[in-house]
Amino acid sequence: MDNELLVEIKDLRLNFRTFDGISKVLNGVNLKMWRGDILGLVGETGCGKTMTALSIARLIPCPPGEITSGQVLFEGEDVLHKTDEEMRLLRAKKLAMIFQDPTTSLNPVFTIGDQMVDIIGSRTDTSKASRLSILGGLGNLMPAIRRLRREAKERALQLLRRVGIGDAAERIDDYPHQFSGGMRQRVLIATALSGTPSLLIADEPTTALDVSIQAQILRLIEELVQELDLSVLLITHNLGVVAKMCQRVAVMYAGVVVECGSALDAFKDPKHPYTVGLMNAIPTYGTKKGEIKGIPGTVPNFLDPPPGCRFHPRCEHAMPRCAEEPPPQPTALAPGHEVSCFLYA
Ligand code: SF4
């Protein structure tokens, strides 16, 4: 990759304190994203995909979470060492996030317009109104706020139209329950893009939508990525979505990125036994009931994970050392294609 490095996560380890003990959720995550990258992050439920993404925005609740080691570099600066105000500005200006269920991301008692105006106002210039009030005296505060809200509403209308809500002027004063699921997700995409983000984190953005709406939302994200020159971290279970949208794929298992490479490598020539298992589990046209080869066993309990390679109880290639020591640092098999497994060390 010749582009500038945008995100680099190095050996990130995250624990959660629970009543039953310490859950070792991330166990040395390494991940890189370049500008213009569209990276799919895949793996079974609970493997740490969302925690990895949240760490970029430093949104992991600590406590009960505790980052025990590692770095999360965004544009070369470690977000783990930024002040709260620096992080607030970073989230407002550079990061956009959309989540799985648009219903829970919108407040049901405020109109779409009010919610968007509040967020856009806080992103464009939070201190503008207060500066104007100091310069011009308190008497000027209300007109200044009214003007800023008018400008923010105008911007909200532009964004709603851009994401395909044509009758935005009529719908902006509606409440979330008056929108369909697909339209609510469009609203969230519009709101997420109201800053000038360089990274869009999309956490299962289409899982809660029906199939035809999923395709529309993915097409919209693709258009916006091109138009705004965004990098995208796309978290999904759906390998079809990865094949359609992503240039690169990172495969996670039990809190570790086990393989990372181009989407072509992952689908045509997967190397890590877990990636091979995932690919073998994809049903193809004509697959009969019972013919899909799943991965035996289940994801380990993070309170008491297996020693050595966390995948060893499920791996058909496991060797004695796999149960004794953690797999080596990722080995580069080709430019940009890395695997963490004793088979390739
Ligand atoms: Fe399998 Fe060993 Fe590789 Fe783990 S390190 S995936 S157990 S071969």
Side-chain angles (χ1 to χ4, degrees), residues 280-329:
N280 287 342
I282 300 174
T284 49
Y285 187 69
T287 307
K288 295 198 177 62
K289 198 176 171 189
E291 280 183 0
I292 298 173
K293 198 172 166 225
I295 303 172
T298 55
V299 181
N301 180 353
F302 288 178
L303 290 170
D304 184 21
C309 171
R310 287 185 170 189
F311 188 58
H312 87 259
R314 305 174 72 184
C315 178
E316 58 186 29
H317 301 283
M319 304 166 260
R321 71 187 298 196
C322 300
E324 288 158 11
E325 46 185 310
Q329 287 298 306

Side-chain angles (χ1 to χ4, degrees), residues 7 87 103 111 116-117 126 134 176 178 186 190 193 226 228 231 236-237 240 245-246 272 287 304:
V7 175
M87 275 318 293
T103 311
T111 65
M116 288 188 74
V117 164
T126 46
I134 292 164
Q178 295 171 287
R186 286 174 192 272
L193 299 177
Q226 301 265 327
L228 304 174
S231 305
T236 181
H237 288 103
M245 299 272 298
C246 300
H272 191 280
T287 307
D304 184 21

Side-chain angles (χ1 to χ4, degrees), residues 8-181:
E8 185 172 15
I9 300 178
K10 294 185 189 175
D11 192 35
L12 185 65
R13 289 167 195 273
L14 168 70
N15 293 342
F16 272 90
R17 286 179 189 281
T18 72
F19 289 117
D20 295 323
I22 293 180
S23 177
K24 302 179 184 93
V25 174
L26 298 182
N27 193 37
V29 170
N30 291 294
L31 193 68
K32 286 180 183 167
M33 283 189 73
W34 286 265
R35 276 193 201 280
D37 218 356
I38 304 179
L39 175 71
L41 191 55
V42 301
E44 284 161 288
T45 299
C47 69
K49 305 183 296 292
T50 298
M51 287 298 130
T52 302
L54 290 180
S55 74
I56 300 171
R58 214 180 76 192
L59 286 175
I60 292 172
C62 294
E66 185 189 4
I67 291 175
T68 55
S69 73
Q71 287 181 302
V72 182
L73 306 176
F74 184 85
E75 295 181 336
E77 292 180 16
D78 192 346
V79 300
L80 303 181
H81 292 130
K82 284 185 177 289
T83 64
D84 289 349
E85 179 59 11
E86 285 170 338
M87 275 318 293
R88 196 187 62 74
L89 287 172
L90 180 73
R91 289 183 208 115
K93 304 264 183 191
K94 301 276 185 82
L95 293 173
M97 299 186 80
I98 47 177
F99 297 99
Q100 185 178 126
D101 183 359
T103 311
T104 53
S105 299
L106 290 164
N107 190 325
V109 299
F110 291 101
T111 65
I112 295 293
D114 281 343
Q115 295 183 58
M116 288 188 74
V117 164
D118 280 350
I119 293 170
I120 292 169
S122 71
R123 284 185 169 172
T124 38
D125 195 345
T126 46
S127 59
K128 213 175 197 175
S130 51
R131 276 210 313 275
L132 286 171
S133 72
I134 292 164
L135 289 174
L138 281 179
N140 284 346
L141 179 59
M142 288 318 292
I145 288 176
R146 273 197 289 272
R147 184 168 59 74
L148 287 175
R149 286 191 71 82
R150 239 189 347 262
E151 288 171 7
K153 185 166 181 180
E154 203 42 55
R155 175 87 178 119
L157 286 169
Q158 283 171 2
L159 288 163
L160 288 175
R161 289 187 193 109
R162 176 59 200 89
V163 297
I165 300 180
D167 52 352
E170 289 84 59
R171 303 300 308 270
I172 195 165
D173 292 323
D174 284 352
Y175 289 86
H177 74 270
Q178 295 171 287
F179 280 59
S180 66

